[in-house]
Amino acid sequence: MNHEQKGNIMARAQFDEVEVLLSAATGYGGTFTASYPTGKEAIDYLQGTGAEHTLYSQAHKPLSAKDGEIILTFGASNITVTMNTDVVFVSGETVYLHLDRAEQDGSVTSEADVLANADKMMALAVVEIDLGEPDTADADGIFTSYTGSTPALNGALVADGVATFDVPRNIVVDSGGADTAVLTFTGTDEYGNTLVESITLNGSTAVAGKKAFKTVTAVSSSAAIANGAFAGTGDVLGLPVFVAEAGDVVYEKEDGATATAGTLVAGDTTTPTATTGDVRGTYDPDTAADGSTEFKIAVAVRSTAYAGADQYAG
């Protein structure tokens, strides 16, 4: 079983080990790839600055992802390790990559709490997320109908040059005509981290952003707007913790009663850019927000403390 004895406490192993035989010398700025352990994929491992991935070898001290000595990029079929220190591994050297598993950390007090088969099982935690009573979406709350090249934040949600949302939620853009400029928004998430999202206008068809903003502090346009574009909030709500898969929803509630299923989008595990999805995931209730309906969802998470990859900040 995948645990070790520590006094009277059983502790689950929180790392998977991957052995890699290097085919070429690898030093600062160099890369090599490691395969996923059997049955595992990107969502099974923590990502971002808090992840405690470590690279071991016989010839050098351990190198830590948390300390920035190595950088891990989790792809669809393998993991790319980028060296970010002056250590040089020689061709033919064997290294051991310890991967920080994205599961509920835990010291457990009885054998019954230990995973019977860590290769087939993962310890998850079910958490209920209170998404509040979001206000009705405000279609031009960020900026009202604008023609020109430099839109300004002037909507009803703006005070002192900052648009502040009631809850973390997405941005929706629209126009009165055939505009196709790319609008780039800068703001913060619910934890105060800077994030950037670019959304392309599609004429008079509303386009919903994918990231959950708490504030918007700036907006720019890639081209002149000719037909009165505007931007505001949508009904897609941000999640406070990383959710790995849409199927991890346990239940959904509206005002305490079982709700018709909404749409949960899992946290995006690709390298964040201005056009990727939300790093933690989002939830769009079946019922439109109206300022009085309370939404709650319960989800199974791999770690109650993991808030997803670092936001793209430009």
Side-chain angles (χ1 to χ4, degrees):
M1 282 187 283
N2 193 28
H3 64 270
E4 57 181 322
Q5 182 77 34
K6 292 184 178 180
N8 294 321
I9 302 296
M10 305 298 297
R12 283 192 298 269
Q14 294 299 309
F15 299 90
D16 288 334
E17 182 179 273
V18 178
E19 181 178 322
V20 181
L21 177 63
L22 298 176
S23 60
T26 309
Y28 182 80
T31 64
F32 63 88
T33 59
S35 299
Y36 287 105
T38 302
K40 298 297 177 63
E41 55 185 324
I43 61 173
D44 294 320
Y45 299 102
L46 293 181
Q47 300 174 43
T49 54
E52 297 182 352
H53 310 299
T54 307
L55 186 63
Y56 294 91
S57 70
Q58 293 184 344
H60 303 283
K61 72 176 183 69
L63 303 180
S64 166
K66 188 174 183 179
D67 294 337
E69 296 169 321
I70 55 173
I71 300 169
L72 272 61
T73 304
F74 292 84
S77 58
N78 56 41
I79 305 160
T80 300
V81 180
T82 301
M83 298 289 291
N84 198 37
T85 181
D86 292 333
V87 168
V88 177
F89 296 116
V90 300
S91 178
E93 186 170 356
T94 298
V95 296
Y96 303 88
L97 182 62
H98 282 210
L99 299 169
D100 192 356
R101 296 175 64 169
E103 66 173 327
Q104 180 69 5
D105 291 339
S107 292
V108 294
T109 57
S110 73
E111 184 71 18
D113 294 323
V114 178
L115 297 180
N117 187 329
D119 292 329
K120 295 182 178 180
M121 301 168 64
M122 176 174 284
L124 305 183
V126 175
V127 295
E128 183 179 79
I129 300 173
D130 186 348
L131 297 168
E133 301 174 359
D135 293 339
T136 302
D138 187 338
D140 61 358
I142 299 174
F143 68 84
T144 57
S145 182
Y146 174 80
T147 297
S149 300
T150 54
L153 303 179
N154 64 355
L157 300 175
V158 178
D160 297 324
V162 177
T164 302
F165 303 167
D166 57 324
V167 297
R169 58 200 304 173
N170 72 322
I171 293 170
V172 177
V173 301
D174 205 345
S175 177
D179 287 306
T180 58
V182 179
L183 299 177
T184 298
F185 297 87
T186 301
T188 60
D189 67 10
E190 66 175 293
Y191 296 115
N193 301 309
T194 299
L195 76 159
V196 173
E197 182 173 28
S198 294
I199 309 171
T200 302
L201 288 166
N202 185 25
S204 56
T205 299
V207 181
K210 296 177 282 189
K211 303 187 181 189
F213 285 73
K214 188 63 173 70
T215 71
V216 174
T217 56
V219 59
S220 63
S221 178
S222 66
I225 297 168
N227 299 283
F230 50 96
T233 56
D235 275 338
V236 175
L237 309 177
L239 302 177
V241 65
F242 174 76
V243 178
E245 297 176 311
D248 289 339
V249 175
V250 178
Y251 62 74
E252 304 171 45
K253 291 182 180 179
E254 291 180 11
D255 290 334
T258 300
T260 301
T263 301
L264 188 141
V265 176
D268 197 331
T269 59
T270 59
T271 301
T273 70
T275 57
T276 51
D278 194 274
V279 297
R280 288 183 281 277
T282 57
Y283 174 68
D284 186 1
D286 178 70
T287 299
D290 59 10
S292 62
T293 302
E294 180 186 52
F295 301 105
K296 292 182 179 181
I297 60 171
V299 293
V301 297
R302 285 145 176 79
S303 170
T304 57
Y306 182 49
D310 297 336
Q311 298 281 10
Y312 176 74

